[in-house]
Amino acid sequence: MIDLSLVQARHLQLHAQGLLTAPARTATPASLRNCIRRMQLLQIDTIHVVARSPYLVLFSRLGDYPVQWLDQALARGHVFETWAHEACFAPVQDLPLHRSYNQARRQHWGLARAREGDAQKRGQLDRLLAHIEAGGPVKSSDFARTDGRSAGWWGWKDEKLWLEALFANGELMVARRDNFQRVYDLAHRVVPGLHALPMPPADQVHDLFVGQAIAALGVTQARWVHDYFRTKPRLKDADLDPLVADGRLLRVRVEGWDAPGYVHASHRRALAKAGREALVASHTSVLSPFDPLVWDRERVAAMFGFDYRIECYTPQERRVHGYFVLPVLDRGRLVARLDAKAHRAEGVFEVKALFMQAGVRPDETLVLAVAGAVQRCAEWHSTPVVRIGQTQPRRLAGALRQALRTMCRPKPVPKP
């Protein structure tokens, strides 16, 4: 059994997630698809005070790229939307796996709600399907609201509920997104030949998802595996013994853990490099709250000592750090969190507040790295002017402003 320090384990996880080093090449549509394949899932969220989460997750790994590439990947059938960890994009190669598991095994509120609607509203669902069959793809906004209610969170009109039910049960798929609105069409029109695809048994898919989750995580405890694809039940070490015995998984000891860790055999070479400290973390980036690296609070606390809560769903008076709090990764550590807003019309990226992680000393190297990450993120948003608000410690604000001024200072033109 290989022994890893906690730092080595972090680096192995960052390597698996594509966050160990800065992108070596300019992003391409193919590298975007490979990035999603590497993560297995790309969670969807609609909040857009900064770029919506799936775009930001990709930026953290790819650097500057046009967000339209993700929309194009969906419209061209390279990825599809499914219920998994939550609502997610997934590689189209995994479509049969998700359809099989969602129909037979997955326990999720979105699917439960759809099954309830299917049982109670089958007549309306069939009429909606006939409407789409005859008239083509639809959006929820194509249907006028008639109940007089507001359209707040989850205040869905009937047609939206029915569309979501048909999407969840697999009769509809998301053909594309227009201004991030789902455009629904009949599943067999989105994926021609869908009904001919072999659907593996759900129990077999469960085992495949276990392996894919461990591969995506790089190194993990057994108890964290189920959360990645939201499979049931939570695993114990004994559940992974057969995978260790047949060589699909490697069992490791990690400093400070009271349970063994597991590494997918596909990471055997990276594990050896981590063990001899040859995986070196050099990447600094702002992360999404829904990044796979941080979406499991227990895991991120154990791996990085980072107690993280997504506060956008917390009442304002109970928020500690802000509305949409972005973790900051710096060379293998989660060093800070910031509350930001992109003022697109004014070209301003506002850092409302930035809180340094307890025990992290903001020396000059760290300040420059964080300032650079914020500036790159701001420029990708087309809001190149960065405005720094409150910081903790307070003196950090001045240091960040100075670092940003240095970065934005025009370079001297060489004399002829």
Side-chain angles (χ1 to χ4, degrees):
M1 193 184 296
I2 293 178
D3 290 282
L4 295 176
S5 70
L6 185 56
V7 170
Q8 290 168 335
R10 288 176 184 171
H11 290 185
L12 182 55
Q13 186 161 100
L14 292 168
H15 165 78
Q17 280 286 315
L19 288 167
L20 185 69
T21 60
R25 299 180 181 86
T26 303
T28 65
S31 61
L32 179 143
R33 297 193 297 271
N34 290 336
C35 185
I36 298 172
R37 174 82 263 176
R38 187 172 189 165
M39 293 184 291
Q40 309 286 347
L41 297 172
L42 177 59
Q43 186 175 340
I44 300 167
D45 192 82
T46 60
I47 296 172
H48 62 288
V49 290
V50 293
R52 289 183 172 91
S53 179
Y55 303 119
L56 185 55
V57 169
L58 292 169
F59 166 77
S60 300
R61 291 156 173 79
L62 299 173
D64 189 15
Y65 77 98
V67 296
Q68 295 84 355
W69 285 355
L70 177 57
D71 305 330
Q72 290 166 4
L74 175 65
R76 294 170 182 172
H78 299 304
V79 300
F80 70 103
E81 293 194 26
T82 184
W83 286 109
H85 178 84
E86 287 292 343
C88 291
F89 296 107
V92 72
Q93 297 93 323
D94 289 348
L95 174 61
L97 307 184
H98 287 276
R99 286 179 74 84
S100 171
Y101 196 77
N102 285 359
Q103 290 170 12
R105 287 273 305 258
R106 190 176 299 288
Q107 302 172 37
H108 191 282
W109 66 264
L111 295 168
R113 192 179 196 182
R115 291 175 188 127
E116 181 182 340
D118 191 72
Q120 297 176 357
K121 304 288 185 182
R122 192 63 240 185
Q124 290 94 326
L125 299 183
D126 286 338
R127 285 193 288 275
L128 183 52
L129 284 171
H131 172 79
I132 296 170
E133 175 78 51
V138 299
K139 296 180 288 190
S140 170
S141 59
D142 293 337
F143 302 93
R145 184 153 211 144
T146 58
D147 57 13
R149 292 182 297 169
S150 68
W153 272 359
W154 313 120
W156 288 350
K157 56 193 168 188
D158 287 342
E159 289 82 2
K160 174 63 173 175
L161 291 169
W162 302 338
L163 288 167
E164 287 297 313
L166 291 165
F167 164 71
N169 71 21
E171 292 178 83
L172 294 180
M173 290 183 65
V174 178
R176 65 181 188 278
R177 281 182 177 256
D178 290 347
N179 295 321
F180 214 68
Q181 287 189 64
R182 279 175 166 170
V183 179
Y184 304 85
D185 199 358
L186 302 178
H188 68 84
R189 291 203 299 225
V190 176
V191 181
L194 176 64
H195 298 306
L197 292 177
M199 295 290 171
D203 288 346
Q204 180 183 338
V205 175
H206 178 272
D207 294 342
L208 289 170
F209 281 165
V210 167
Q212 288 183 2
I214 295 172
L217 289 169
V219 59
T220 178
Q221 293 184 22
R223 60 180 289 105
W224 302 333
V225 174
H226 80 289
D227 178 75
Y228 206 85
F229 284 91
R230 292 280 165 88
T231 52
K232 299 285 185 180
R234 184 188 287 265
L235 299 180
K236 299 179 180 178
D237 293 309
D239 297 315
L240 299 180
D241 284 344
L243 302 182
V244 175
D246 68 14
R248 281 180 283 174
L249 296 183
L250 308 169
R251 190 174 271 137
V252 299
R253 281 186 293 260
V254 178
E255 172 194 14
W257 289 8
D258 58 3
Y262 296 89
V263 177
H264 196 272
S266 62
H267 290 313
R268 186 184 301 272
R269 187 173 298 176
L271 172 61
K273 292 181 70 174
R276 61 177 188 269
E277 298 189 347
L279 289 183
V280 179
S282 59
H283 189 32
T284 305
S285 185
V286 175
L287 304 180
S288 162
F290 304 104
D291 194 293
L293 190 74
V294 300
W295 68 27
D296 182 336
R297 289 186 62 197
E298 179 186 321
R299 170 165 51 86
V300 75
M303 290 292 300
F304 292 91
F306 198 71
D307 184 13
Y308 184 54
R309 181 185 297 274
I310 300 170
E311 296 185 303
C312 50
Y313 305 117
T314 302
Q316 184 172 356
E317 64 275 9
R318 289 167 50 196
R319 291 176 194 149
V320 176
H321 298 108
Y323 176 69
F324 201 65
V325 180
L326 312 177
V328 181
L329 173 72
D330 177 60
R331 293 163 294 169
R333 300 181 300 165
L334 292 173
V335 297
R337 63 198 83 201
L338 63 91
D339 184 26
K341 180 176 176 61
H343 300 275
R344 295 164 176 86
E346 296 86 1
V348 172
F349 191 85
E350 178 186 10
V351 177
K352 295 182 177 182
L354 188 148
F355 301 87
M356 194 61 62
Q357 180 76 341
V360 174
R361 190 170 70 88
D363 58 21
E364 182 180 358
T365 301
L366 179 57
V367 169
L368 286 171
V370 171
V374 172
Q375 185 65 53
R376 289 190 297 274
C377 188
E379 290 173 359
W380 175 66
H381 278 83
S382 298
T383 54
V385 177
V386 178
R387 184 186 300 155
I388 301 293
Q390 168 193 359
T391 65
Q392 191 178 82
R394 291 179 61 183
R395 66 181 183 278
L396 179 60
L400 283 171
R401 292 185 188 113
Q402 177 58 38
L404 289 164
R405 281 195 295 270
T406 301
M407 289 171 190
C408 297
R409 189 175 296 157
K411 294 188 173 111
V413 178
K415 295 181 180 179

